[in-house]
Amino acid sequence: MANSPKNPKSGKSSASETSGQVLTNRQGHPIANNQSQRTVGSRGPATLENYQFLEKITHFDRERIPERVVHARGFVCYGEFEATGKIGDEPASKYTRAKLFQEAGKKTPLAIRFSTVIGGRDSSEVARDPRGFAVKFYTEDGNWDLVGNNLAVFFIRDAIKFPDVIHSLKPDPVTFRQEPNRIFDFMSQTPESMHMLTHLFSPRGIPASYRHMEGFGVNTYKMVNAQGDTVLVKYHFHPRCGLASLTAEEAAKVQGQDLGSASKDLYEAIERGEYPQWDMYVQIMEDHDHPELDWDPLDDTKIWPERDFPLRHVGVMTLNRNVQDHFNENEQIAMGTGVLVDGLDFSDDKMLVGRTFSYSDTQRYRVGTNYLQLPVNQAKNAKVATNLNGGQMSYGRDLAPGQNPHVNYEPSIHGGLHESSREEPNNPPEIRGRLTRSVIERRNDYSHARGRYCTMMEWERDDLVLNMGTLLGQCERDVQERMVWHLFMVHDDYGSRVGDMLGITADDVRHLPPLPKQVLTDDEKGRMEKLGRNGDPIDPTVWGQWTSSVKNYKASAEEVLGGMRNVPTEPATRQAAE
């Protein structure tokens, strides 16, 4: 002890030494000098056996993993989901045997990652962009990942187009700038994108904070009950603090002072005990093709109108704890749409099927083969026993109590793992059809965008027109004309107002035929013949209370930079749009 470091003022051992806060390397060796390399003399040269320097610098060289291609910038926090035990007014067991929904008051811990989609890891959090809304539920039957967005629909309906839509939204591979001409070149040839564009280029494309936005599963899933009966389901999260969004002008003011305003807002709200909450709802539909509808319930460019498929309350999500380490808990958290628990299932949604492969494939590439051994990704409340072993950065083997460690295969009669005796029924409808490559039959690409346009608040509609007209003004004429044609197909007012900003009228685009392979409904053919003269009203009651059609508070930059305190918003579900 004679040589132990002393506090120069007290003559006692330093607090860090006695409390165990001694700097070491990964081998556990205490580091006595972290200021200088080992050199020949004070001026060098440095020697090759500088173990501590080499360990430190080579780790530093590798301390970033590849950023996510999409959702690169995000923020993670923790919380819990408390179930009502019901789905609407009925017992949850009527629709699903998933344990987390069964009992009133049952709490399931969770992690959630909010994110922007297109920008890089250090991009602005007030850019116009969909926001990721991905929840990892640590259930007793293993993890359930619900990987959604703040907007209820998507740009495309088939996963084979996902690389294309993302490439169009990402920076130009030559100029490395996000170019409106590239974005609308793609979208103008993709008519199903009009619904999503109507959401995204309205104020909903720039939430004031992560706390003041909705969340949606976007894709159609299934629930399965104890008898094996299935229903189609859509998931919704509605914020109790209400919705608030920014115009592009106000967002620019925020971005000029803070690129991470949304992360800061969420972190500080939780730290001061102002825990954000969302009411979780589902919409239920019988599990069949629904030929009575003029759109396909598996089409993720469509919503299910609440007037026909009402929201049913299932519980409340509360966020109450921040991460301790951004890299380990944010950069390395890994979610995927294939991560379902018993009582939940996939539908045949073409985007969902493609996402289910892509997400897990991405995690293995980006984080590593053993990404599920990391604490933030582990199934915390369920036992894990697999015959998987090896691979880069393996931490250990998933052995069951009493398992013979020599047996990493199945079947075996020598103490290896065996199949679960719990084989629950699942009786989905039988599907028959010819193997083909084709789009769904009921496309109806414009009616839901029309519904969204009509159910917006007036300031949202004004902002949508301004944003679309401004960005299309930077595009080439052929792209402008086709986009205006689409907007007239959506709604007279939409097309004429954006067209006025571009100097394009309905007569200027009336000669355009439908896109190659585009199939119009009889109603759409009639609209095309009377392009710009369809007499469209702006009447929200025609559409009922459609998804996202609730009041949206027009936030200022000052309110966002001030932490969104004392903002006069109310729970979203109490506010129907006017």
Side-chain angles (χ1 to χ4, degrees):
M1 296 294 292
N3 295 324
S4 63
K6 305 290 184 180
N7 183 308
K9 293 184 179 180
S10 67
K12 298 180 181 179
S13 297
S14 67
S16 62
E17 187 80 14
T18 57
S19 64
Q21 296 174 351
V22 175
L23 177 67
T24 75
N25 62 22
R26 280 278 171 87
Q27 304 288 5
H29 305 159
I31 304 302
N33 187 334
N34 191 44
Q35 315 309 317
S36 304
Q37 296 183 57
R38 193 175 187 183
T39 60
V40 179
S42 62
R43 298 181 64 246
T47 60
L48 184 60
E49 79 279 10
N50 259 284
Y51 182 79
Q52 165 58 9
F53 167 70
L54 294 176
E55 287 291 293
K56 185 177 180 181
I57 198 66
T58 54
H59 186 279
F60 175 80
D61 294 343
R62 295 163 174 80
E63 71 180 22
R64 296 291 185 268
I65 59 177
E67 74 174 31
R68 294 166 172 88
V69 176
V70 289
H71 300 276
R73 176 151 199 164
F75 195 79
V76 168
C77 58
Y78 299 100
E80 63 186 17
F81 169 74
E82 182 173 350
T84 63
K86 295 183 177 181
I87 293 180
D89 296 327
E90 301 174 290
S93 58
K94 177 177 178 179
Y95 298 104
T96 180
R97 57 178 182 255
K99 292 179 181 176
L100 79 161
F101 293 119
Q102 298 306 309
E103 302 170 17
K106 183 177 179 64
K107 295 182 178 179
T108 300
L110 59 85
I112 186 167
R113 187 173 189 268
F114 300 103
S115 57
T116 54
V117 174
I118 297 303
R121 189 154 44 195
D122 298 316
S123 59
S124 170
E125 287 187 318
V126 289
R128 185 172 305 284
D129 206 358
R131 295 324 192 249
F133 197 107
V135 190
K136 183 183 291 292
F137 298 86
Y138 300 104
T139 88
E140 61 200 274
D141 273 344
N143 292 349
W144 171 34
D145 292 352
L146 183 57
V147 189
N149 288 334
N150 73 311
L151 302 176
V153 294
F154 202 56
F155 300 95
I156 52 173
R157 58 168 68 98
D158 193 310
I160 198 171
K161 299 303 298 176
F162 189 76
D164 298 302
V165 67
I166 297 302
H167 284 171
S168 76
L169 292 162
K170 284 283 191 179
D172 185 307
V174 177
T175 67
F176 205 68
R177 288 173 52 85
Q178 191 180 47
E179 304 284 0
N181 195 60
R182 285 166 34 83
I183 296 171
F184 288 107
D185 178 30
F186 176 84
M187 302 300 175
S188 70
Q189 303 303 301
T190 311
E192 69 264 31
S193 70
M194 295 306 126
H195 193 191
M196 177 61 160
L197 294 177
T198 303
H199 282 269
L200 180 61
F201 286 90
S202 80
R204 300 298 176 89
I206 314 180
S209 82
Y210 290 141
R211 294 184 295 135
H212 292 84
M213 70 182 195
E214 297 169 303
F216 300 95
V218 180
N219 295 112
T220 300
Y221 290 86
K222 291 186 182 184
M223 285 181 165
V224 189
N225 66 15
Q227 292 74 45
D229 301 325
T230 61
V231 290
L232 301 176
V233 62
K234 288 265 197 183
Y235 296 101
H236 296 236
F237 293 86
H238 294 284
R240 287 194 167 180
C241 64
L243 270 72
S245 300
L246 289 162
T247 63
E249 181 180 6
E250 292 300 302
K253 297 176 186 176
V254 175
Q255 184 171 312
Q257 297 189 48
D258 191 345
L259 293 179
S261 58
S263 294
K264 178 184 178 182
D265 175 88
L266 182 60
Y267 179 87
E268 292 184 348
I270 292 173
E271 288 298 296
R272 64 178 180 259
E274 190 176 323
Y275 300 144
Q277 291 186 310
W278 283 259
D279 286 290
M280 185 178 179
Y281 295 84
V282 296
Q283 291 178 286
I284 299 290
M285 192 183 294
E286 293 179 359
D287 189 5
H288 60 76
D289 292 347
H290 290 274
E292 76 281 4
L293 300 175
D294 59 6
W295 45 273
D296 195 308
L298 303 187
D299 183 350
D300 69 352
T301 70
K302 305 292 191 295
I303 57 93
W304 298 0
E306 284 96 335
R307 65 179 181 185
D308 301 316
F309 305 96
L311 296 179
R312 306 180 188 212
H313 195 233
V314 296
V316 178
M317 177 176 72
T318 303
L319 307 183
N320 54 24
R321 180 166 61 91
N322 282 310
V323 301
Q324 297 299 307
D325 183 273
H326 181 84
F327 181 84
N328 286 317
E329 298 167 89
N330 185 337
E331 287 303 297
Q332 295 195 137
I333 196 171
M335 304 194 197
T337 56
V339 186
L340 302 177
V341 295
D342 182 59
L344 308 177
D345 205 350
F346 308 98
S347 77
D348 295 318
D349 180 328
K350 290 185 180 184
M351 275 298 297
L352 177 60
V353 173
R355 293 178 76 200
T356 295
F357 169 79
S358 179
Y359 274 64
S360 295
D361 180 55
T362 297
Q363 310 301 0
R364 291 186 181 92
Y365 159 72
R366 196 180 68 86
V367 185
T369 305
N370 290 295
Y371 73 97
L372 291 174
Q373 291 187 343
L374 297 173
V376 73
N377 296 321
Q378 290 174 0
K380 299 182 186 300
N381 295 313
K383 294 179 180 179
V384 176
T386 75
N387 284 326
L388 304 175
N389 58 271
Q392 189 177 29
M393 299 298 289
S394 175
Y395 180 73
R397 290 177 61 191
D398 308 321
L399 296 173
Q403 179 182 348
N404 182 349
H406 298 279
V407 178
N408 61 348
Y409 50 87
E410 188 280 328
S412 168
I413 59 174
H414 291 157
L417 300 174
H418 56 80
E419 295 174 320
S420 171
S421 59
R422 192 183 84 179
E423 187 173 358
E424 302 286 356
N426 191 339
N427 308 312
E430 181 178 342
I431 298 174
R432 295 175 179 268
R434 186 181 298 277
L435 192 63
T436 183
R437 289 190 179 96
S438 61
V439 297
I440 60 175
E441 294 176 357
R442 289 170 285 166
R443 305 171 203 180
N444 207 341
D445 293 319
Y446 302 112
S447 67
H448 283 217
R450 189 176 312 124
R452 179 68 194 121
Y453 190 78
C454 284
T455 53
M456 286 181 176
M457 299 176 72
E458 187 173 354
W459 78 273
E460 291 183 293
R461 199 158 37 242
D462 291 344
D463 194 57
L464 166 66
V465 169
L466 176 63
N467 295 326
M468 290 289 273
T470 299
L471 292 173
L472 281 170
Q474 302 174 43
C475 298
E476 296 178 35
R477 180 74 179 190
D478 53 353
V479 171
Q480 292 176 340
E481 290 184 353
R482 179 55 75 177
M483 280 300 302
V484 169
W485 185 89
H486 286 307
L487 300 184
F488 272 119
M489 291 292 287
V490 173
H491 197 284
D492 290 346
D493 187 67
Y494 200 178
S496 62
R497 292 180 66 184
V498 174
D500 285 346
M501 292 184 67
L502 303 172
I504 297 175
T505 67
D507 289 337
D508 294 327
V509 297
R510 198 179 308 281
H511 66 283
L512 292 177
L515 293 168
K517 299 184 179 179
Q518 184 177 10
V519 177
L520 300 181
T521 65
D522 289 341
D523 177 68
E524 289 168 343
K525 291 176 183 177
R527 292 189 62 81
M528 187 176 69
E529 291 176 1
K530 298 186 295 180
L531 199 71
R533 300 192 299 268
N534 282 285
D536 298 322
I538 297 179
D539 181 4
T541 61
V542 173
W543 302 97
Q545 189 184 1
W546 279 43
T547 298
S548 290
S549 297
V550 294
K551 288 183 179 178
N552 187 14
Y553 178 74
K554 187 177 182 180
S556 69
E558 290 76 15
E559 287 170 324
V560 170
L561 293 168
M564 293 295 289
R565 299 200 188 194
N566 303 316
V567 174
T569 57
E570 296 180 23
T573 51
R574 295 182 191 169
Q575 304 183 75
E578 295 174 345

